[in-house]
Amino acid sequence: MTSLRQSWGVPSRPRPIVIIGAGGIVRTAHLPVYQRLEFPVAGVYDIKPDASLETARRFGVPTVFRSMSEAAAWPDAVFDVAVPGDQIAGVLQQLPRGSAVLIQKPMGENLAAAQSIAHICRDRGLVAAMNFQLRFSPNVLALQDLVDTRQLGEIVDVDVRLVVKQPWHLWAFLERAPRLEILYHSIHYLDTIRALVGEPRGVYCRAVPHPSIPEFQDTRSSIILDYGNRVRCSLLLNHTHQQNTEHTASFLKVEGTLGAAQVTMGVNIDYPNGPPDTLEVALGRARWQNIELRGSWFIEAFEGPMSNLQRFVAGEDEALVSPVEDALKTMALVEACYQSSDAGGTPVPEV
């Protein structure tokens, strides 16, 4: 097995980062990674001043902006927009034309909103990427390398399985979200599968809430992606497992004609401090081999999206990994999932 890629190159001269939104994901992942990589963070803005002040104090951010216009005025900035999906469009409209911007998923709350966001980006000439950071997780980068170099052969089977207890209550805004589990979490797996296997022809889906948390919408789903007769692809996603961790699961497995690989996402087992991610590979009839990893989804994956964006605007990367136009295809797939779920299954004939 050849040496597998597990990291993304960093920009040689990173530009200052202005963060819009000071919520949990910024404090848990974005700022710790930027500190580790020594990326300059110019300042932070949040509609809740206390959140901005506490985040700045905790991470030594030098400036707390008093308004969105003040934040947008920072010269030569790369903007990190980490706000709920229904607030993205309003933020983008206030950024200077031609700005570089990294946008936290999802790309709005539905496909229509995503198309509007894409239109704003085109109209304002924004160099915009979506923060689909699972693509940059060390084990997923290695898996993508295996697929791209055809060490697994032709991909014929893809499985994602989650049996976990997601702490939805950590994100209060999700209580009012009309769409939840697929849009705000499992979108990562749909996006990663697109990167690994390509575009599906269609989708079968059923997404349901759980009676123990009626304040939230869909928290469980079963999804089949239709790739024709050559690839079987399924996602079984239960975020409301009530028991201990003895029978939890959090993995993505890919099988090909020459081998197979399985990655685990430890953060789902005990958010945000779950066990380390893993990658196991079996080529031909050889035994499964555990590949040593340099890190996990949380937090090493968050190095990649900002590094790729900064390198692209500096001319050091040829392309963005997750430009908004590509993210639009992931949002279309999410939309198809919800449409399929709303339509219901094929009725069983009466006998």
Side-chain angles (χ1 to χ4, degrees):
M1 188 186 311
T2 59
S3 178
L4 300 173
R5 181 177 194 175
Q6 294 192 28
S7 63
W8 202 267
V10 296
S12 59
R13 292 181 296 277
R15 289 162 53 175
I17 299 169
V18 169
I19 298 176
I20 310 299
I25 194 65
V26 167
R27 296 189 297 270
T28 302
H30 293 218
L31 279 168
V33 159
Y34 299 160
Q35 281 190 337
R36 179 191 297 175
L37 297 180
E38 299 183 347
F39 287 175
V41 177
V44 60
Y45 170 72
D46 194 284
I47 58 174
K48 299 177 180 178
D50 289 348
S52 297
L53 288 167
E54 171 57 23
T55 300
R57 182 200 63 78
R58 179 175 169 185
F59 291 95
V61 177
T63 305
V64 174
F65 299 111
R66 293 168 294 179
S67 66
M68 181 64 214
S69 59
E70 187 177 284
W74 195 272
D76 200 36
V78 173
F79 295 93
D80 183 356
V81 176
V83 300
D86 60 355
Q87 299 176 26
I88 292 172
V91 170
L92 296 180
Q93 289 170 333
Q94 299 179 69
L95 298 182
R97 292 183 179 275
S99 295
V101 54
L102 181 64
I103 306 168
Q104 180 67 19
K105 59 81 189 162
M107 194 175 169
E109 295 201 319
N110 50 49
L111 181 57
Q115 291 170 323
S116 177
I117 289 169
H119 174 76
I120 293 169
C121 291
R122 289 191 294 267
D123 183 61
R124 301 190 64 79
L126 302 178
V127 182
M130 292 303 298
N131 197 342
F132 282 129
Q133 76 283 148
L134 182 58
R135 292 194 187 194
F136 294 91
S137 185
N139 56 1
V140 174
L141 282 173
L143 174 59
Q144 185 75 61
D145 201 357
L146 285 167
V147 172
D148 291 345
T149 56
R150 297 192 62 81
Q151 293 184 63
L152 302 182
E154 179 185 354
I155 303 304
V156 295
D157 209 275
V158 180
D159 262 323
V160 177
R161 184 162 179 78
L162 262 66
V163 182
V164 298
K165 186 175 183 180
Q166 189 71 236
W168 299 113
H169 293 90
L170 292 179
W171 305 278
F173 73 92
L174 292 179
E175 291 190 21
R176 67 176 187 271
R179 295 173 170 180
L180 179 53
E181 187 269 324
I182 302 173
L183 180 65
Y184 276 92
H185 184 94
S186 294
I187 187 172
H188 279 299
Y189 312 125
L190 296 172
D191 180 71
T192 298
I193 291 169
R194 284 189 52 247
L196 292 169
V197 189
E199 309 300 334
R201 301 177 182 179
V203 63
Y204 308 88
C205 173
R206 185 60 174 164
V208 296
H210 194 279
S212 68
I213 45 174
E215 64 271 30
F216 294 100
Q217 294 300 314
D218 57 297
T219 55
R220 301 169 291 160
S221 64
S222 298
I223 303 171
I224 296 175
L225 301 186
D226 182 2
Y227 284 98
N229 293 331
R230 292 295 292 173
V231 179
R232 186 201 67 87
C233 180
S234 69
L235 301 89
L236 302 176
L237 309 159
N238 175 13
H239 292 263
T240 53
H241 184 61
Q242 301 297 316
Q243 282 63 46
N244 60 31
T245 60
E246 186 174 352
H247 293 292
T248 54
S250 176
F251 68 80
L252 183 157
K253 182 170 64 175
V254 175
E255 297 184 18
T257 53
L258 299 179
Q262 177 169 298
V263 303
T264 64
M265 295 80 69
V267 67
N268 293 323
I269 302 298
D270 182 19
Y271 182 89
N273 300 310
D277 289 357
T278 65
L279 168 62
E280 293 180 274
V281 180
L283 299 182
R285 297 185 178 181
R287 297 178 63 87
W288 286 92
Q289 177 182 352
N290 186 58
I291 305 299
E292 184 177 352
L293 297 174
R294 59 172 293 270
S296 296
W297 181 0
F298 273 62
I299 59 175
E300 283 73 20
F302 288 80
E303 299 169 359
M306 179 57 74
S307 291
N308 175 229
L309 176 59
Q310 293 247 10
R311 286 174 57 88
F312 178 72
V313 296
E316 296 174 329
D317 275 355
E318 293 184 358
L320 292 172
V321 173
S322 296
V324 291
E325 296 299 337
D326 182 77
L328 199 56
K329 297 177 181 179
T330 295
M331 287 296 293
L333 182 52
V334 170
E335 189 73 19
C337 287
Y338 283 109
Q339 290 179 357
S340 174
S341 183
D342 290 342
T346 302
V348 178
E350 293 185 7
V351 293

